[in-house]
């Protein structure tokens, strides 16, 4: 099928004529001096670097010192380059190789010919996200951290950092320590290194996977790619479309659910999975809103704790203890009022009974059986009526 040219590919407007050979040679010579490969010899990452003032203090953070890769000998601290992109930066390690571009600098306002070198992110010499250092063979200096500023020397080389296994059409962003972001899809690959999210759906179903860190079970063969594993990765976030993710939540009993939800590992519609050893949701100035069309299920293998100055539950069917609970909860205030009335009537009855008399031989005398019992009952009922209001909760209300 023929492909129709559209947009830029179909436009001839503004196309420059082909330069002649002499102009082309001159342009290539000029370009050679403007784009060069350089090896990083030092980098300024904090105020403790001895060249901090020279590079412009805080506005010079990320400045590198360098040597051209086609020149022998050490680099000079007299030359430095700044990051090309001030929004997205990958700061190089010492001995990594970068491309330098000779471009207008911050002093263009005073002299339009002012130019400086700016660098792109490190070249993928080893095609590995951990580092791509290639020391100068003539000097054999193998350090990866700054040789002049110990305060910023925090990079630790590790052998168990694995790159991600790519699949056709993926866009990958990988950090130096196993952090990664994959814009991928269902990919039913025949490689020995398969992913575990493509057992359902169709090739091309989109998925986004954000993970932090390498599993503790990874080998020291750091050159072998791996795929994400939600069970073993330190922390991860999955945004799926029609994939099955081999993942189980801590408690999948669902005893309280009338209709148990589909487990995450069996769900094949779009879902978001956030997994880590601990998860904190905090709204510092407003609210945390959790809402579900069917249900909101909160479970734990130990306890669920709710703490608030005010706690409100609005429902027409609240069951405590079991989803089949059928005993009604009493209304506290109404129950206390009924008990007060009952106690009052019994008290009146006790008062009347404590003076009852019998007539042995026609002579009136107190009943030795009923009277004492009625008097004790009257006394106890007075204590109960004094304490009856205290059985009501000060915090829990029902309607």
């Amino acid at each position: 099928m023929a492909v129709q040219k559209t947009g830029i590919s179909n436009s001839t407007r503004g196309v420059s004529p082909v330069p002649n050979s002499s102009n082309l040679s001159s342009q290539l010579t000029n370009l050679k001096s403007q784009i060069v490969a350089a090896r990083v010899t030092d980098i300024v990452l904090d105020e403790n670097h001895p060249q901090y003032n020279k590079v412009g203090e805080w506005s010079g953070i990320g400045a590198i010192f360098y040597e051209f890769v086609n020149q022998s000998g050490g680099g000079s601290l007299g030359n430095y380059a700044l990051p090309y992109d001030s929004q997205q930066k990958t700061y190089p390690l010492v001995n990594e190789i970068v491309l330098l571009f000779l471009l207008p600098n911050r002093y263009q306002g005073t002299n339009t010919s002012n130019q400086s070198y700016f660098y792109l992110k490190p070249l993928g010499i080893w095609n590995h996200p951990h580092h791509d250092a290639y020391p100068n063979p003539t000097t054999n200096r193998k350090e990866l951290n700054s040789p002049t500023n110990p305060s910023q020397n925090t990079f630790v080389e590790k052998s168990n950092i694995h790159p991600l296994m790519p699949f056709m059409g993926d866009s990958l962003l990988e950090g130096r320590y196993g952090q990664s972001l994959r814009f991928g899809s269902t990919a039913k690959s025949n490689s020995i290194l398969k992913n575990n999210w493509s057992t359902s759906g169709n090739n091309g179903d989109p998925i986004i996977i954000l993970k932090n860190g390498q599993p503790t079970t990874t080998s020291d063969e750091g050159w072998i790619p791996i795929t994400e594993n939600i069970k073993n990765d330190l922390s991860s976030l999955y945004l799926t479309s029609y994939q099955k993710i081999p993942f189980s939540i801590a408690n999948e009993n669902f005893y309280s659910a009338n209709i148990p939800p589909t487990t995450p590992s069996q769900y094949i519609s779009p879902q978001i999975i956030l997994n880590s050893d601990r998860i904190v949701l905090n709204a510092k100035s407003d609210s945390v809103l959790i809402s579900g069309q069917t249900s909101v299920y909160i479970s734990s293998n130990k306890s669920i704790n709710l703490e608030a100055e005010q706690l409100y539950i609005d429902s027409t069917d609240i069951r405590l203890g079991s989803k089949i609970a059928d005993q009604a909860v009493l209304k506290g205030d109404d129950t206390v009022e009924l008990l007060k009335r009952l106690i009052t009537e019994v008290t009146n009855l006790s008062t009347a009974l404590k003076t009852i008399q019998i007539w042995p031989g026609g002579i009136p005398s107190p009943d030795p059986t009923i009277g004492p019992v009625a008097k004790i009952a009257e006394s106890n009922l007075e204590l109960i009526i004094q304490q009856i209001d205290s059985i009501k909760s000060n915090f829990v209300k029902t309607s």
Side-chain angles (χ1 to χ4, degrees):
M1 181 178 67
V3 178
Q4 299 296 324
K5 291 185 177 180
T6 60
I8 295 175
S9 63
N10 196 33
S11 174
T12 59
R13 188 180 309 168
V15 176
S16 300
V18 176
N20 59 44
S21 59
S22 61
N23 288 338
L24 180 61
S25 176
S26 174
Q27 290 177 13
L28 290 176
T29 301
N30 187 42
L31 186 64
K32 184 178 179 180
S33 65
Q34 291 180 324
I35 304 177
V36 293
R39 178 179 289 104
V40 178
T41 59
D42 204 353
I43 184 170
V44 179
L45 294 177
D46 66 28
E47 77 283 4
N48 296 310
H49 195 284
Q51 300 299 321
Y52 169 73
N53 291 328
K54 177 182 179 66
V55 300
E57 299 179 345
W58 290 116
S59 63
I61 291 298
I64 62 167
F65 297 93
Y66 57 87
E67 61 184 12
F68 298 123
V69 296
N70 58 351
Q71 297 178 359
S72 61
S76 170
L77 288 179
N79 299 318
Y80 68 89
L82 294 173
Y84 173 83
D85 190 337
S86 59
Q87 282 79 38
Q88 298 184 35
K89 304 171 184 176
T90 299
Y91 293 117
L93 302 171
V94 172
N95 277 318
E96 288 189 320
I97 295 174
V98 297
L99 278 181
L100 300 182
F101 290 79
L102 190 60
L103 298 169
N105 61 24
R106 69 185 68 173
Y107 303 108
Q108 279 289 297
T110 57
N111 188 341
T112 57
S113 64
N114 272 326
Q115 292 182 312
S116 299
Y117 278 119
F118 295 84
Y119 68 87
L120 297 181
K121 63 183 182 179
L123 300 181
I125 297 293
W126 306 111
N127 193 27
H128 198 284
H130 190 44
H131 76 75
D132 283 290
Y134 195 93
N136 189 326
T138 62
T139 60
N140 202 32
R141 292 197 302 266
K142 298 182 179 179
E143 67 267 12
L144 299 175
N145 289 287
S146 171
T148 60
N149 183 14
S151 76
Q152 68 184 51
N153 292 354
T154 59
F155 182 81
V156 178
E157 186 175 12
K158 296 184 176 183
S159 62
N160 66 338
I161 302 298
H162 296 252
L164 281 184
M165 176 68 182
F167 300 96
M168 188 60 68
D170 281 355
S171 294
L172 303 177
L173 179 63
E174 299 182 65
R176 296 188 186 272
Y177 294 102
Q179 316 96 316
S180 62
L181 175 61
R182 182 193 296 270
F183 294 89
S185 68
T186 296
K188 301 179 187 292
S189 169
N190 289 326
S191 169
I192 60 172
L193 299 177
K194 296 179 174 60
N195 62 67
N196 60 10
W197 60 81
S198 296
T199 59
S200 65
N202 301 311
N203 284 335
D205 290 339
I207 188 170
I208 298 176
I209 303 174
L210 172 65
K211 79 173 180 71
N212 180 47
Q214 299 271 276
T216 56
T217 56
T218 53
S219 70
D220 287 335
E221 298 174 315
W223 62 90
I224 300 177
I226 62 174
T227 59
E228 297 89 339
N229 187 319
I230 192 170
K231 295 179 181 178
N232 299 328
D233 293 333
L234 302 184
S235 297
S236 52
L237 172 65
Y238 283 64
L239 283 74
T240 74
S241 55
Y242 304 104
Q243 297 85 8
K244 278 186 179 182
I245 307 300
F247 169 74
S248 298
I249 59 177
N251 185 328
E252 291 187 342
N253 292 325
F254 303 133
Y255 292 142
S256 64
N258 289 322
I259 302 177
T262 303
T263 59
S265 62
Q266 297 302 311
Y267 197 71
I268 57 174
S269 293
Q271 67 176 328
I272 296 176
I273 299 175
L274 179 61
N275 185 50
S276 188
D277 288 349
R278 184 178 184 179
I279 296 174
V280 178
L281 299 176
N282 180 65
K284 64 180 183 180
S285 63
D286 202 278
S287 306
V288 175
L289 307 178
I290 302 176
S291 177
Q293 182 66 36
T294 301
S295 65
V296 174
Y297 191 86
I298 301 175
S299 66
S300 170
N301 285 325
K302 291 188 177 180
S303 67
I304 295 176
N305 308 300
L306 302 176
E307 295 183 18
E309 182 178 338
Q310 297 173 319
L311 179 62
Y312 301 104
I313 300 175
D314 185 4
S315 175
T316 58
D317 188 1
I318 300 174
R319 298 176 186 263
L320 303 176
S322 170
K323 64 184 178 183
I324 60 172
D326 58 1
Q327 293 292 311
V329 174
L330 297 177
K331 296 181 179 180
D333 292 342
D334 291 347
T335 300
V336 166
E337 288 303 315
L338 290 173
L339 287 174
K340 284 182 177 179
R341 290 165 57 183
L342 176 61
I343 292 170
T344 298
E345 296 301 323
V346 175
T347 299
N348 293 337
L349 181 59
S350 297
T351 301
L353 289 175
K354 74 178 183 180
T355 60
I356 193 172
Q357 294 179 328
I358 58 175
W359 299 80
I363 301 174
S365 63
D367 189 311
T369 303
I370 298 176
V373 173
K375 187 174 182 179
I376 293 173
E378 181 185 44
S379 177
N380 289 336
L381 289 169
E382 289 178 358
L383 294 176
I384 292 174
I385 202 68
Q386 293 173 8
Q387 302 174 18
I388 191 65
D389 284 313
S390 66
I391 69 174
K392 295 189 296 183
S393 172
N394 294 324
F395 307 106
V396 181
K397 308 295 181 183
T398 188
S399 60

